[in-house]
Amino acid sequence: MQDESGYIKRRDFLRLGAAGVAAAGLDALLPARAAAEQVPTGSRTAPAHPIILRSDLLEVTLDGDDGLPYQYRYKPSGAMLHGEDYGQKITVTVCNIDSWDFFDVTPAVAPAAPEVTERKRAASAAQEANFDFTVKEGPEVYATFRIRYQLRGASLFITMDSIGERPGFQLLDAAMPSLVTVREEDPSAWLVYGDSGGKFISLADATPGTLPPNRFWGRIHSTMPIAMVGTQHMLCLQETTAYMDTTNVAVTGSKGSL
């Protein structure tokens, strides 16, 4: 690895995705032009190689082929929320320092081999899953990293570590698509987000679009780095903990058929 932080200030690593979930139906927050930006397409089928994490409260199904959540089930009631719902993949942004080129790559992914440590022996293997990502084009590898999922009670912790970069290249961003999704057919689907003082919005009343960047801080959250989605049976609160991480909030589809 090579420290080239003097060249460019890198963004710290995950855009944790509420994208494709829900958002405000206010024109001031979701201008009409935003509806055409980065609209997810496709759909996700049940994973061919599921990896299931279990605690006493929650069961999380991950897709072993792309390292993303597929489904959450709250065990006491059986209520469920969707994970990534469009068949999208994690993408990364890489900078070539010599040519000053920026380009996006969809990395290769594979479940990581179990780590033999005291911590792993003390905890249930069914409560943690790790995925190794390789950023490459053809035979040329630019960077590697690992994403960890750790389930503790009703909380799922997602972290990124073990980052390696080829000299001359920087891994600037790892963008995750939707981590949790609600659909209009879900009972009383809704969203709460903290920008501009905070809003509670019913998905049935939402306008398609994307919450625009903060006018002072861009895509970096300055206050209330949380978003909540849910139904009448189950809710999910997402907290973005690193100060340069980003949460995307969006509505897709036409009103009445989201």
Side-chain angles (χ1 to χ4, degrees), residues 116-194:
V116 181
T117 64
E118 290 297 327
R119 176 179 60 82
K120 287 290 292 183
R121 280 192 284 267
S124 169
Q127 294 181 336
E128 179 173 331
N130 302 322
F131 294 88
D132 287 335
F133 289 81
T134 303
V135 184
K136 64 180 182 177
E137 289 184 327
E140 189 169 13
V141 175
Y142 302 117
T144 58
F145 61 93
R146 174 171 291 182
I147 288 183
R148 300 180 184 271
Y149 293 90
Q150 295 174 304
L151 182 60
R152 305 173 195 165
S155 299
L156 181 66
F157 295 85
I158 306 173
T159 57
M160 178 177 177
D161 58 25
S162 302
I163 299 170
E165 296 168 312
R166 174 186 167 190
F169 293 87
Q170 282 194 346
L171 176 63
L172 300 183
D173 179 276
M176 302 185 81
S178 307
L179 295 178
V180 60
T181 309
V182 289
R183 306 170 183 169
E184 193 165 284
E185 62 264 27
D186 294 332
S188 303
W190 53 267
L191 164 76
V192 170
Y193 67 95

Side-chain angles (χ1 to χ4, degrees), residues 6-199:
Y7 289 95
I8 186 168
K9 186 175 181 65
R10 69 184 66 211
R11 298 197 68 149
D12 206 7
F13 53 85
L14 297 182
R15 288 182 190 163
L16 298 180
V21 178
L26 301 178
D27 291 340
L29 295 180
L30 292 176
R33 61 176 174 80
E37 297 176 359
Q38 298 182 343
V39 175
T41 59
S43 61
R44 174 175 290 279
T45 58
H49 303 100
I51 296 174
I52 301 177
L53 307 183
R54 295 183 178 92
S55 71
D56 56 339
L57 294 174
L58 194 64
E59 181 178 283
V60 179
T61 301
L62 305 171
D63 191 328
D65 292 329
D66 60 20
L68 290 169
Y70 171 72
Q71 186 180 81
Y72 307 85
R73 184 175 72 88
Y74 185 61
K75 294 170 70 173
S77 67
M80 291 188 295
L81 289 175
H82 315 284
E84 199 289 312
D85 212 28
Y86 297 93
Q88 294 185 304
K89 310 296 183 182
I90 292 175
T91 58
V92 303
T93 303
V94 177
C95 175
N96 183 327
I97 299 300
D98 294 334
S99 63
W100 207 244
D101 289 331
F102 299 82
F103 52 96
D104 294 334
V105 179
T106 300
V109 57
E115 297 175 346
V116 181
T117 64
E118 290 297 327
R119 176 179 60 82
K120 287 290 292 183
R121 280 192 284 267
S124 169
Q127 294 181 336
E128 179 173 331
N130 302 322
F131 294 88
D132 287 335
F133 289 81
T134 303
V135 184
K136 64 180 182 177
E137 289 184 327
E140 189 169 13
V141 175
Y142 302 117
T144 58
F145 61 93
R146 174 171 291 182
I147 288 183
R148 300 180 184 271
Y149 293 90
Q150 295 174 304
L151 182 60
R152 305 173 195 165
S155 299
L156 181 66
F157 295 85
I158 306 173
T159 57
M160 178 177 177
D161 58 25
S162 302
I163 299 170
E165 296 168 312
R166 174 186 167 190
F169 293 87
Q170 282 194 346
L171 176 63
L172 300 183
D173 179 276
M176 302 185 81
S178 307
L179 295 178
V180 60
T181 309
V182 289
R183 306 170 183 169
E184 193 165 284
E185 62 264 27
D186 294 332
S188 303
W190 53 267
L191 164 76
V192 170
Y193 67 95
D195 200 62
S196 301
K199 299 290 180 183

Side-chain angles (χ1 to χ4, degrees), residues 195-226:
D195 200 62
S196 301
K199 299 290 180 183
F200 174 89
I201 302 294
S202 168
L203 180 56
D205 298 328
T207 300
T210 302
L211 194 70
N214 183 286
R215 60 177 176 170
F216 296 112
W217 300 101
R219 303 191 67 86
I220 302 172
H221 289 285
S222 56
T223 59
M224 295 293 289
I226 63 171

